[in-house]
Amino acid sequence: MNRKIVIAGNWKLHKTNQEALQLANQIKIKNTHIKKAGIIICPPFTALSEVHSVVKDCNVALGAQNVYWEKQGAFTGEISAGMIKSTGAVYAIIGHSERHQYFGETDETVNKRINAALEAGLKPIVCVGETLEEREKNITAQVVTRQIKGAFAGMSADAMKNIIIAYEPVWAIGTGKTATPDQAQEVHALIRQLISKEFGNAVADNIVIQYGGSVKPDNAESLLGQKDIDGALVGGACLDADSFTAIIAAAEKLLQA
Ligand code: PEP
């Protein structure tokens, strides 16, 4: 199995089109030498087409931050997978904990979004992770198992080849608290085991499982150095081209070692 490391930046509710163009350009220019690490940036929907014009011929891939499951119709304010695909985006973050926390996301809606994204030819980055309360109750494994089973219910092993999973403990997102490399590795190993059980060893060995939760330049290498951590989903630190680039550099260094 070839070791893969993929770094994705979730821009969340940040950047006007002008600002997005500027950040995308900086990220592109600072990472032209990156050969092995995967790079994905996920600006807001409004900036996808513009940012695509900047990154279309380089080693930076484009993703959206959500996707609605219906193809079209009277669903005011929603964006379909086909619409996202038409901007040039390749990936879509699905089931981010902020979607659960503020917008009523459930395991079932995550599953519907994944199916719609796959059908349109997008690659889902599917987020799972426990809250602080759940970790303190010692039910992390139970919660993550339920989320994985729910998200991928009815999925074929073939479809799973287009999936990235992001383990994001909710208590570590935007809080400055990071799971220790050991804490993260333990849950990543569990996720790989679950994928192996449901979809077979080949899928489990090849699937990218990212860690997310206050990843910064100074903790990236120790997290990415763990056996089952194949990348990072980065929030805060991806809004600055230098800190995002430093995290990508940590990934590239590990892949070249
Ligand atoms: C995220 O939003 O997915 C995230 C991990 O954010 P942060 O890096 O800011 O914790």
Side-chain angles (χ1 to χ4, degrees), residues 10 12 96 98 168 172-174 212-215 233-236:
N10 173 12
K12 308 193 185 186
H96 190 278
E98 286 150 17
E168 300 206 303
I173 297 178
S214 300
V215 176
L233 181 53
V234 184

PDB file of all heavy atoms in Angstrom, residues 10 12 96 98 168 172-174 212-215 233-236, ligand 1:
ATOM      1  N   ASN A  10     -10.827  23.797   5.075  1.00  0.00           N
ATOM      2  CA  ASN A  10     -12.243  24.145   5.132  1.00  0.00           C
ATOM      3  C   ASN A  10     -12.341  25.630   5.479  1.00  0.00           C
ATOM      4  O   ASN A  10     -12.124  26.018   6.624  1.00  0.00           O
ATOM      5  CB  ASN A  10     -12.917  23.271   6.212  1.00  0.00           C
ATOM      6  CG  ASN A  10     -14.361  23.667   6.471  1.00  0.00           C
ATOM      7  OD1 ASN A  10     -14.950  24.436   5.726  1.00  0.00           O
ATOM      8  ND2 ASN A  10     -14.934  23.126   7.541  1.00  0.00           N
ATOM      9  N   LYS A  12     -14.874  27.517   5.637  1.00  0.00           N
ATOM     10  CA  LYS A  12     -16.109  27.863   6.367  1.00  0.00           C
ATOM     11  C   LYS A  12     -16.726  29.165   5.826  1.00  0.00           C
ATOM     12  O   LYS A  12     -16.638  29.430   4.630  1.00  0.00           O
ATOM     13  CB  LYS A  12     -15.835  27.948   7.876  1.00  0.00           C
ATOM     14  CG  LYS A  12     -15.135  26.705   8.420  1.00  0.00           C
ATOM     15  CD  LYS A  12     -15.135  26.644   9.909  1.00  0.00           C
ATOM     16  CE  LYS A  12     -14.319  25.447  10.372  1.00  0.00           C
ATOM     17  NZ  LYS A  12     -14.389  25.231  11.793  1.00  0.00           N
ATOM     18  N   HIS A  96     -20.142  17.877   8.347  1.00  0.00           N
ATOM     19  CA  HIS A  96     -19.270  18.581   9.298  1.00  0.00           C
ATOM     20  C   HIS A  96     -20.028  18.791  10.614  1.00  0.00           C
ATOM     21  O   HIS A  96     -21.247  19.013  10.603  1.00  0.00           O
ATOM     22  CB  HIS A  96     -18.834  19.924   8.709  1.00  0.00           C
ATOM     23  CG  HIS A  96     -17.757  20.582   9.510  1.00  0.00           C
ATOM     24  ND1 HIS A  96     -18.033  21.306  10.640  1.00  0.00           N
ATOM     25  CD2 HIS A  96     -16.414  20.593   9.369  1.00  0.00           C
ATOM     26  CE1 HIS A  96     -16.891  21.751  11.154  1.00  0.00           C
ATOM     27  NE2 HIS A  96     -15.896  21.332  10.402  1.00  0.00           N
ATOM     28  N   GLU A  98     -20.339  21.215  12.481  1.00  0.00           N
ATOM     29  CA  GLU A  98     -21.102  22.476  12.560  1.00  0.00           C
ATOM     30  C   GLU A  98     -22.458  22.345  11.853  1.00  0.00           C
ATOM     31  O   GLU A  98     -23.421  23.023  12.212  1.00  0.00           O
ATOM     32  CB  GLU A  98     -20.262  23.634  11.969  1.00  0.00           C
ATOM     33  CG  GLU A  98     -19.156  24.032  12.936  1.00  0.00           C
ATOM     34  CD  GLU A  98     -17.905  24.584  12.290  1.00  0.00           C
ATOM     35  OE1 GLU A  98     -17.937  24.976  11.114  1.00  0.00           O
ATOM     36  OE2 GLU A  98     -16.868  24.613  12.989  1.00  0.00           O
ATOM     37  N   GLU A 168     -13.078  14.041  13.247  1.00  0.00           N
ATOM     38  CA  GLU A 168     -12.958  15.351  13.871  1.00  0.00           C
ATOM     39  C   GLU A 168     -13.658  15.344  15.228  1.00  0.00           C
ATOM     40  O   GLU A 168     -14.881  15.538  15.296  1.00  0.00           O
ATOM     41  CB  GLU A 168     -13.607  16.420  12.984  1.00  0.00           C
ATOM     42  CG  GLU A 168     -12.996  16.536  11.607  1.00  0.00           C
ATOM     43  CD  GLU A 168     -13.199  17.927  11.022  1.00  0.00           C
ATOM     44  OE1 GLU A 168     -14.356  18.349  10.908  1.00  0.00           O
ATOM     45  OE2 GLU A 168     -12.209  18.581  10.744  1.00  0.00           O
ATOM     46  N   ALA A 172     -12.404  19.380  19.707  1.00  0.00           N
ATOM     47  CA  ALA A 172     -11.103  19.880  19.249  1.00  0.00           C
ATOM     48  C   ALA A 172     -11.242  20.860  18.089  1.00  0.00           C
ATOM     49  O   ALA A 172     -10.258  21.430  17.635  1.00  0.00           O
ATOM     50  CB  ALA A 172     -10.221  18.705  18.826  1.00  0.00           C
ATOM     51  N   ILE A 173     -12.479  21.079  17.613  1.00  0.00           N
ATOM     52  CA  ILE A 173     -12.665  21.942  16.442  1.00  0.00           C
ATOM     53  C   ILE A 173     -12.770  23.397  16.869  1.00  0.00           C
ATOM     54  O   ILE A 173     -13.664  23.770  17.623  1.00  0.00           O
ATOM     55  CB  ILE A 173     -13.923  21.530  15.642  1.00  0.00           C
ATOM     56  CG1 ILE A 173     -13.732  20.110  15.097  1.00  0.00           C
ATOM     57  CG2 ILE A 173     -14.177  22.507  14.503  1.00  0.00           C
ATOM     58  CD1 ILE A 173     -14.928  19.582  14.338  1.00  0.00           C
ATOM     59  N   GLY A 174     -11.817  24.176  16.394  1.00  0.00           N
ATOM     60  CA  GLY A 174     -11.831  25.615  16.646  1.00  0.00           C
ATOM     61  C   GLY A 174     -11.595  25.991  18.092  1.00  0.00           C
ATOM     62  O   GLY A 174     -11.821  27.135  18.479  1.00  0.00           O
ATOM     63  N   GLY A 212      -9.072  15.981  11.974  1.00  0.00           N
ATOM     64  CA  GLY A 212      -9.373  17.411  12.018  1.00  0.00           C
ATOM     65  C   GLY A 212      -9.653  17.854  13.439  1.00  0.00           C
ATOM     66  O   GLY A 212     -10.297  17.136  14.212  1.00  0.00           O
ATOM     67  N   GLY A 213      -9.183  19.028  13.779  1.00  0.00           N
ATOM     68  CA  GLY A 213      -9.395  19.575  15.128  1.00  0.00           C
ATOM     69  C   GLY A 213      -8.151  20.320  15.554  1.00  0.00           C
ATOM     70  O   GLY A 213      -7.217  19.714  16.073  1.00  0.00           O
ATOM     71  N   SER A 214      -8.134  21.627  15.260  1.00  0.00           N
ATOM     72  CA  SER A 214      -7.012  22.482  15.657  1.00  0.00           C
ATOM     73  C   SER A 214      -5.660  21.981  15.151  1.00  0.00           C
ATOM     74  O   SER A 214      -4.671  22.032  15.878  1.00  0.00           O
ATOM     75  CB  SER A 214      -7.005  22.669  17.179  1.00  0.00           C
ATOM     76  OG  SER A 214      -8.209  23.282  17.606  1.00  0.00           O
ATOM     77  N   VAL A 215      -5.638  21.489  13.912  1.00  0.00           N
ATOM     78  CA  VAL A 215      -4.338  21.142  13.308  1.00  0.00           C
ATOM     79  C   VAL A 215      -3.636  22.446  12.945  1.00  0.00           C
ATOM     80  O   VAL A 215      -4.227  23.339  12.343  1.00  0.00           O
ATOM     81  CB  VAL A 215      -4.514  20.262  12.045  1.00  0.00           C
ATOM     82  CG1 VAL A 215      -3.159  20.000  11.390  1.00  0.00           C
ATOM     83  CG2 VAL A 215      -5.188  18.941  12.399  1.00  0.00           C
ATOM     84  N   LEU A 233      -7.962  17.646   7.961  1.00  0.00           N
ATOM     85  CA  LEU A 233      -8.972  18.617   7.552  1.00  0.00           C
ATOM     86  C   LEU A 233      -8.748  19.816   8.464  1.00  0.00           C
ATOM     87  O   LEU A 233      -8.857  19.698   9.685  1.00  0.00           O
ATOM     88  CB  LEU A 233     -10.386  18.033   7.702  1.00  0.00           C
ATOM     89  CG  LEU A 233     -11.547  18.937   7.284  1.00  0.00           C
ATOM     90  CD1 LEU A 233     -11.388  19.489   5.874  1.00  0.00           C
ATOM     91  CD2 LEU A 233     -12.877  18.185   7.376  1.00  0.00           C
ATOM     92  N   VAL A 234      -8.385  20.927   7.859  1.00  0.00           N
ATOM     93  CA  VAL A 234      -7.898  22.080   8.612  1.00  0.00           C
ATOM     94  C   VAL A 234      -8.900  23.218   8.521  1.00  0.00           C
ATOM     95  O   VAL A 234      -9.348  23.564   7.418  1.00  0.00           O
ATOM     96  CB  VAL A 234      -6.544  22.549   8.017  1.00  0.00           C
ATOM     97  CG1 VAL A 234      -5.964  23.689   8.845  1.00  0.00           C
ATOM     98  CG2 VAL A 234      -5.556  21.388   7.915  1.00  0.00           C
ATOM     99  N   GLY A 235      -9.258  23.793   9.668  1.00  0.00           N
ATOM    100  CA  GLY A 235     -10.149  24.952   9.667  1.00  0.00           C
ATOM    101  C   GLY A 235      -9.344  26.238   9.780  1.00  0.00           C
ATOM    102  O   GLY A 235      -8.792  26.741   8.803  1.00  0.00           O
ATOM    103  N   GLY A 236      -9.214  26.730  11.002  1.00  0.00           N
ATOM    104  CA  GLY A 236      -8.576  28.029  11.253  1.00  0.00           C
ATOM    105  C   GLY A 236      -7.253  28.238  10.516  1.00  0.00           C
ATOM    106  O   GLY A 236      -7.045  29.279   9.880  1.00  0.00           O
TER     107      GLY A 236
HETATM  108  C1  PEP B   1     -12.802  22.037  10.902  1.00  0.00           C
HETATM  109  O1  PEP B   1     -13.593  22.944  10.843  1.00  0.00           O
HETATM  110  O2  PEP B   1     -12.994  21.029  10.213  1.00  0.00           O
HETATM  111  C2  PEP B   1     -11.659  22.172  11.783  1.00  0.00           C
HETATM  112  C3  PEP B   1     -10.952  21.110  12.029  1.00  0.00           C
HETATM  113  O3  PEP B   1     -11.419  23.421  12.307  1.00  0.00           O
HETATM  114  P1  PEP B   1     -10.126  23.879  13.179  1.00  0.00           P
HETATM  115  O4  PEP B   1      -8.900  23.401  12.431  1.00  0.00           O
HETATM  116  O5  PEP B   1     -10.201  25.353  13.245  1.00  0.00           O
HETATM  117  O6  PEP B   1     -10.245  23.201  14.512  1.00  0.00           O
END
